[in-house]
Amino acid sequence: MSSRLSALAACTLLAVCGLAAPASASTSTSADSAGPVGAAAPAVNLATNPGFEIPASSLADWGSVPGWRCSGGPAEASATTTAPHSGGSALAVTPANDDSNGECAQTVSVRPGTTYTASAWVRGAFVHLGVTGTGRDVAPAWTATTNGGWQKLTTRFTTGPDARTVRLYVHGWYQQGPFAVDDVRVDGPAPAPATAAGSVPTSDRVVFFTVDDGWQRTPEAERFIADHQLPITAFPLPMPAATDPDFFRRVTAVPGSSIQDHSVSHPDLTTLSPAEQQVEICDARDAQVRTFGTAPTVFRPPFFAWNADTLQAAANCGIQHLLTADADFSWGASNIWHEGTLSPGDVVLMHWTDTLAGDLQRALAAADTAGLASYLR
């Protein structure tokens, strides 16, 4: 190939550029932008699983509380159906020892320079509700005792000019016994919905290789990626990623590669409520941050099934772009979903399977035939 292409520049586009028009999926629905920072927008509850009503997936952390990360894990925190404030369940926390305050927290995506109100109903002694990462000091709300009943805690905060996420937390106090939390809220304008695309606008003659799921990891595929220095955008599910994180670090070691969000349990998101979609996307984000240290900004919907709720749920989890594909080379296939050969900016779908080494080779040959590249020559 005569042209020398920068894989780093091209593949970085996949994670950060403004992507192309929405992909042609039957379930796709565009959503209006929420407008510029500071524009008037309705206040909504941005907390994930605020009423602790959503059960944990079998593919999530065993015993986890969806949407929340609790310092003591399932040994301290779980959803309970005993006397919730409303609905069918609440969060029950019993600190395991005198050195634990039983903290549970989550990351909430926000707009910069915007005022929000955080609130929660709590029961117990010395229960705290607070927010960090706003860019400004925010005093927590707390109560010495709720006298056995439920009490509402409320705090307001305004995000700084660079704040796009905050950390919401609830906790008790040392040696003060168990406490309960329910009906958490972070009320304020939501981030603008994520954009949807099936291809990447680029002037480079380059295609983008994406690989989903992660259950079958072969040395042949790993060797092919390394030998050809292929930039790969990986969309692993959290469980296989956490089972073999070094594999995913190795196969995304080529400059321009990245690890992105593919949900927790691979559901058809269009069958889920907006709150359930947000749990799937946010919990997968949190798992990737714990495992790999970076937050994903691109989301691949399982089965390419998504709707307008998905775009907002993804944005509420810090996702900028929802990405499908316009070619599929998985499991021996060679499907291009537009006329002709591969085109510049095409996104090619593959999966971590026992056929991946051959799938990569076939996709690479198709790119070469079209005069395209996905790596440095």
Side-chain angles (χ1 to χ4, degrees), residues 226-246:
D227 289 348
H228 293 81
Q229 284 295 283
L230 286 175
I232 296 294
T233 301
F235 291 93
L237 298 171
M239 185 170 285
T243 300
D244 195 357
D246 287 344

Side-chain angles (χ1 to χ4, degrees), residues 103-141:
E103 183 183 80
C104 291
Q106 64 175 252
T107 299
V108 180
S109 292
V110 293
R111 293 185 179 195
T114 305
T115 299
Y116 294 86
T117 300
S119 63
W121 287 86
V122 302
R123 185 176 61 209
F126 290 94
V127 187
H128 292 65
L129 167 75
V131 179
T132 60
T134 66
R136 300 178 170 92
D137 291 335
V138 180

Side-chain angles (χ1 to χ4, degrees), residues 94-332:
T94 302
N97 53 58
D98 291 347
D99 295 323
S100 173
N101 65 4
E103 183 183 80
C104 291
Q106 64 175 252
T107 299
V108 180
S109 292
V110 293
R111 293 185 179 195
T114 305
T115 299
Y116 294 86
T117 300
S119 63
W121 287 86
V122 302
R123 185 176 61 209
F126 290 94
V127 187
H128 292 65
L129 167 75
V131 179
T132 60
T134 66
R136 300 178 170 92
D137 291 335
V138 180
W142 63 280
T143 179
T145 179
T146 65
N147 295 311
W150 287 97
Q151 180 179 330
K152 188 176 183 179
L153 299 180
T154 301
T155 184
R156 287 170 61 84
F157 63 94
T158 300
T159 54
D162 300 319
R164 297 190 181 277
T165 62
V166 297
R167 182 176 181 271
L168 172 72
Y169 66 84
V170 291
H171 64 69
W173 201 246
Y174 306 98
Q175 305 177 42
Q176 297 301 313
F179 64 93
V181 183
D182 203 359
D183 297 327
V184 181
R185 301 190 65 88
V186 179
D187 290 312
T195 60
S199 60
V200 178
T202 175
S203 58
D204 288 335
R205 294 191 59 78
V206 65
V207 293
F208 300 88
F209 288 173
T210 66
V211 191
D212 289 8
D213 297 352
W215 295 111
Q216 293 177 285
R217 303 172 294 276
T218 67
E220 294 81 9
E222 180 182 346
R223 186 162 51 249
F224 190 92
I225 291 167
D227 289 348
H228 293 81
Q229 284 295 283
L230 286 175
I232 296 294
T233 301
F235 291 93
L237 298 171
M239 185 170 285
T243 300
D244 195 357
D246 287 344
F247 174 86
F248 290 100
R249 292 188 184 99
R250 292 193 301 269
V251 295
T252 57
V254 177
S257 300
S258 67
I259 297 174
Q260 302 294 340
D261 193 322
H262 193 38
S263 81
V264 170
S265 63
H266 207 280
D268 177 343
L269 293 173
T270 64
T271 67
L272 304 182
S273 70
E276 291 169 325
Q277 292 196 40
Q278 187 163 320
V279 163
E280 282 284 340
I281 301 170
C282 285
D283 274 6
R285 171 205 62 192
D286 293 343
Q288 305 300 43
V289 170
R290 290 194 300 272
T291 303
F292 301 110
T294 56
T297 58
V298 181
F299 175 63
R300 164 69 53 78
F303 313 110
F304 292 176
W306 58 276
N307 54 27
D309 290 335
T310 314
L311 298 179
Q312 189 59 64
N316 293 351
C317 299
I319 298 295
Q320 299 173 23
H321 306 295
L322 181 151
L323 186 69
T324 58
D326 40 24
D328 183 2
F329 279 69
S330 304
W331 295 293

Side-chain angles (χ1 to χ4, degrees), residues 30-71:
S30 63
D32 294 333
S33 170
V37 171
V44 297
N45 185 10
L46 296 174
T48 301
N49 194 16
F52 307 96
E53 307 286 342
I54 298 173
S57 164
S58 61
L59 296 181
D61 293 339
W62 286 279
S64 67
V65 179
W68 297 84
R69 189 68 175 176
C70 299
S71 58

